[in-house]
Amino acid sequence: VQLQASGGGLVQAGGSLRLSCSVPRMILSTFWGTTFEWYHQAPGNQRELVATSSDGSSYYGDSVKGRFTISRDNNKKTVYLQMNSLKTEDTGTYFCHARGPGMDYWGSGTQVTVSS
């Protein structure tokens, strides 16, 4: 299963970006039951979990609460991360992660750069 992440780019502080993570080859019924996560890795730092979508619920890291929103389009088999009010500390690589029973997949990451 390949996770295709996209949507990164260069944006000024205060701006917005929407990241996408699609899994076109995942069976739809599997997609419904899969937990999807977005991780952020700043330069020189470890990956940090920023958002989770699981069983109809969403969870967020403290650093992004109120600014980021994770959502999923089951028909398109795509997970989104809407990022608003971006800060320079949001700069880094964002990875999509899919996990479930017997499943643990990582996307290749998409780069986000927030300028001051």
Side-chain angles (χ1 to χ4, degrees), residues 44-99:
N45 290 0
Q46 293 184 335
R47 290 184 190 183
E48 172 193 25
L49 177 63
V50 295
T52 301
S53 173
S54 180
D55 292 331
S57 297
S58 302
Y59 308 93
Y60 299 95
D62 289 340
S63 63
V64 305
K65 279 181 182 176
R67 300 188 299 121
F68 290 11
T69 303
I70 188 171
S71 62
R72 52 201 297 166
D73 185 328
N74 289 334
N75 289 330
K76 293 183 178 179
K77 292 182 282 186
T78 299
V79 180
Y80 302 99
L81 184 67
Q82 178 66 43
M83 306 188 296
N84 297 330
S85 302
L86 282 162
K87 304 176 181 180
T88 55
E89 52 262 44
D90 296 321
T91 292
T93 305
Y94 286 77
F95 296 90
C96 180
H97 179 229
R99 59 178 175 86

Side-chain angles (χ1 to χ4, degrees), residues 2-22:
Q2 183 178 12
L3 277 65
Q4 301 173 351
S6 62
L10 174 64
V11 64
Q12 286 190 329
S16 298
L17 282 174
R18 188 177 78 159
L19 307 183
S20 299
C21 175
S22 64

Side-chain angles (χ1 to χ4, degrees), residues 39 91 100 108:
Y39 281 77
T91 292
S108 57

